[in-house]
Amino acid sequence: MSELDSKLSARIAKIKGATLVKSFCYSCPWNCPTEVYVRNNKVVYVKGNQDAPNNIGTRCSKGMASWWMTEDPDRLKYPMLRTNPKGERGEFKRISWDEAFTFIADKLKGIAKNYGPESVVLTCHHDPNTQFYRHLLSDLYGSPNMYAHTSGCEMDRRSACQTIFGHDFPMHDFANSKYVILWGMNMLGANQGLFESRALLEAKKRGAKIIVVDPSFTETAQKATEWIPIKPGTDGAMALAMCHHIISNGLQDKEFVNTHCEGFDGFRDHLFDKGYTPEWAEDICGIKAETIKRLARDFATTKPSMSAIFKGAGYYTNGHDGSRACYILDAICGQVDGPGNLHLKSWAPLAEPLDIPDKAKRKPNKDPLHVAMGYPLAPDLPNGQLPKAVIEGDPYPVKGLFVHSTNPVMSDPNRDSVIEMFKHLDLAVACEVLMSETALECDIVLPETSFYEMAEIRQGLWLGEEAIICQPAVAPIGESKAPYDIAKGIAQKMGWAEFFAFEHWEDWAKTATANLPGGLNQLKERGFWAKQPAFNKLVTDGVPTKTGKIEIYSHKYADQGLNPYPDYVERSVHPDNEFPLQVTHSKLSMHCNIVTQNNPMLMEICPENWVEINAVDAEKSMINDGDMVVIESPKDKITIRAKVVQGLIPGSISIRHGHGFGHWAMGSVAKGKGAHSNNLMEIHTNPVTGANCYNECKVRVRPA
Ligand SMILES: Nc1nc2c(c(=O)[nH]1)N[C@H]1C(S)=C(S)[C@@H](COP(=O)(O)OP(=O)(O)OC[C@H]3O[C@@H](n4cnc5c(=O)[nH]c(N)nc54)[C@H](O)[C@@H]3O)O[C@H]1N2
Ligand SMILES: Nc1nc2c(c(=O)[nH]1)N[C@H]1C(S)=C(S)[C@@H](COP(=O)(O)OP(=O)(O)OC[C@H]3O[C@@H](n4cnc5c(=O)[nH]c(N)nc54)[C@H](O)[C@@H]3O)O[C@H]1N2
Ligand code: SF4
Ligand SMILES: [Mo]
């Protein structure tokens, strides 16, 4: 028996007599279906759900270590009310749930009376378990301002995808692809669906070409066929030049374009009129015209192929058109929604968990904030603009904020302005598992159950239609409550008890799964429900855009007086003599965002974040590998460890995001580890999509 086998046997022996609960992980947004083994109210083992197509029995290191959530002594255990003025470091006293619900309901009533219900905003990260707060604050209370976190994430590509394909969130069929271009997607470092990472590597083994366009020689670039070290913020120029070369050589898929696309001829004229040639793009992107031409030809002639983008290339003020150009490559080559392409996934037939009758719903009197702020095409709240709205009451007063599983003090740009914002709110509620930096700025902190302690049903992020379930495996820590029970408690104090009548999670879960084949029972038993992906369905049936076609010419843009075709304009911030380096950001493979840094196992492997700096720039600044360095922007400075690397485009640095600041205020493992970069930057918001432009930042670096 190998050492590995014997370890596994020992583990299995340990779980003998344990109960198996089918659930899913949300240590990151990819939600792998999971088997949780529980004995005596303790999680004794976790593994991926063997039958689920998302991860086929596996979990990543973050998922494997996530059981710590159920034992972390720093978890919030009871509701807490602030006792000192905002602006000072938060001090809190323990209160009962009844007091917490009364406090919140009274404040909500006051805000509605004085400013209107539109003045209450909800933001969240792990979006779907927020649905009960949405039922409460939107359907019943009447606020149109129910938002997620997308402006910090893939807002530009989401906007591009909505605009061109009428789809929110495409997946990638790497398994069947022969040629893949990844624009700033580090699939093997910051993993997205585990099946996608695996399929990418298997495609490569089969002989598929993987091209990684990224200023950094990422984990994915290291395994790719070719790394294209592009200058930051110039992907749009390269993608437009590729389109130019494809079209001027007649390599586009003429039949596909004629049948399924709107505005091809105008796009061709636009490219030719503007002179978006490979020669034009060469200096802008730092990529030889010959290389751009070769990639364009290979992409157009090797089928099936895929041009895929996520958030990396979108952290600039020109990210909206850059993302559109990357997807138009797919469109003109007919590489959409077929096997091996960008996949316009269909969604499982899940219903809302609460059935609130229309006559009980309150209609808002004001536009949602993103529209009122001047970003009608934004797929989500331009959250970089939220502090201004709160502080100045512009475009209208914002007085209440619910932050649910999101930590804007750490995650949004310009920490100072986020902290300042909290002073101007009448009601700031944190729904959290730990005392985050944001919770510390709030009036009231509500302890939520972790995903090991609560139920949830949501869409699975696999290629085919998929529903997944999270089931309570262990008892809640302390007095923590699930979102349904918290929303219900507030609803009761508001006089809306009848709409939150369910006693057990299975009751609302039955409503949510009423149309799902096999219903709740089968979902509980298997942990997921999935249907094989249907290829070409959306494209042949017509995509949900205004014209029913793939819109290379964007009617949405034209209707707003914007150029319906993507253009290339330079990003906003450029390094200069005083601040000679361009900031870029990337994630840590052993952590997820601001979620895992109080986990002692992951912190043992990766106790701090760091900055990567090219050897040429490091030598100029007399920085050695492993040194502590000071990064200074015009706004602030941080001290962080440096890694000197060859694989990063000179003139830029790459800051790994996740640690730092007070992190977390009461998290004894995380506290004080690493550095937080989000106060280096001023707020730059993409003018169309409302995305945060974290990389619009110039700095200088010196030894600490
Ligand atoms: N291990 C781990 N996994 C995660 C997460 C995590 O924190 N850790 N977070 C999860 C979340 S919320 C997300 S959104 C995804 C993120 O998944 P990714 O977007 O793949 O992750 P990042 O590391 O942020 O990668 C961004 C890349 O963009 C590159 N980049 C920067 N500027 C440019 C540019 O101008 N052009 C191009 N082409 N590239 C550029 C950066 O160098 C970096 O490699 O990962 C998810 N999974
Ligand atoms: N500089 C820089 N900034 C970035 C990024 C970057 O690469 N660089 N990445 C951006 C991206 S892609 C994203 S998606 C955002 C993410 O930023 P956020 O929206 O802040 O989301 P997370 O960091 O995933 O989660 C934050 C909070 O969720 C809490 N939490 C964890 N699990 C639970 C739970 O089960 N219930 C509840 N109620 N709370 C929970 C954690 O304690 C933590 O405080 O950050 C963005 N900010
Ligand atoms: S990829 Fe995300 S959801 Fe899957 S196991 Fe890892 S942390 Fe959990
Ligand atoms: Mo993200």
Side-chain angles (χ1 to χ4, degrees), residues 287-397:
I287 311 295
K288 292 219 169 323
E290 280 318 306
T291 307
I292 298 176
K293 288 180 190 171
R294 172 173 54 79
L295 295 174
R297 176 171 289 276
D298 289 351
F299 178 75
T301 55
T302 317
K303 295 184 179 180
S305 61
M306 184 187 333
S307 160
I309 185 165
F310 206 66
K311 54 168 259 291
Y315 278 0
Y316 306 87
T317 40
N318 61 8
H320 58 300
D321 272 358
S323 303
R324 281 206 293 163
C326 293
Y327 279 151
I328 288 178
L329 268 172
D330 290 306
I332 62 172
C333 295
Q335 297 302 298
V336 186
D337 213 29
N341 297 156
L342 194 71
H343 186 64
L344 304 180
K345 167 186 170 50
S346 306
W347 302 102
L350 289 175
E352 290 286 342
L354 299 189
D355 190 11
I356 297 184
D358 277 348
K359 65 176 183 335
K361 287 187 184 163
R362 192 171 164 160
K363 301 272 169 298
N365 290 319
K366 292 179 190 155
D367 279 336
L369 265 181
H370 71 279
V371 176
M373 283 171 170
Y375 299 88
L377 296 184
D380 203 336
L381 178 70
N383 63 20
Q385 295 300 316
L386 187 62
K388 179 171 174 287
V390 173
I391 296 163
E392 296 175 14
D394 178 25
Y396 53 73

Side-chain angles (χ1 to χ4, degrees), residues 27-30 60-62 125 149 152-154 182-193 212-220 228-236 309-316 318 326 571 582-597 612 648 653-658 695:
S27 281
C28 93
W30 262 264
C60 77
S61 47
K62 307 182 298 295
H125 185 184
H149 73 292
C153 190
E154 38 85 61
L182 296 171
W183 303 87
M185 274 172 82
N186 187 12
M187 306 290 307
L188 306 179
N191 49 287
Q192 304 190 6
V212 171
V213 183
D214 198 304
S216 180
F217 188 50
T218 60
E219 290 87 340
T220 315
I228 305 296
I230 195 166
K231 286 189 194 165
T234 66
D235 298 63
I309 185 165
F310 206 66
K311 54 168 259 291
Y315 278 0
Y316 306 87
N318 61 8
C326 293
R571 62 175 199 270
Q582 168 81 30
V583 169
T584 67
H585 283 95
S586 52
K587 309 276 192 189
L588 290 159
S589 63
M590 282 296 146
H591 287 281
C592 181
N593 298 348
I594 316 278
V595 176
T596 50
Q597 289 84 355
E612 279 153 34
L648 177 67
I653 57 169
S654 173
I655 306 178
R656 298 281 181 148
H657 172 72
N695 293 350

Side-chain angles (χ1 to χ4, degrees), residues 126-138:
H126 301 274
D127 338 6
N129 63 0
T130 311
Q131 58 212 355
F132 299 112
Y133 296 117
R134 289 172 190 252
H135 281 307
L136 173 80
L137 296 171
S138 181

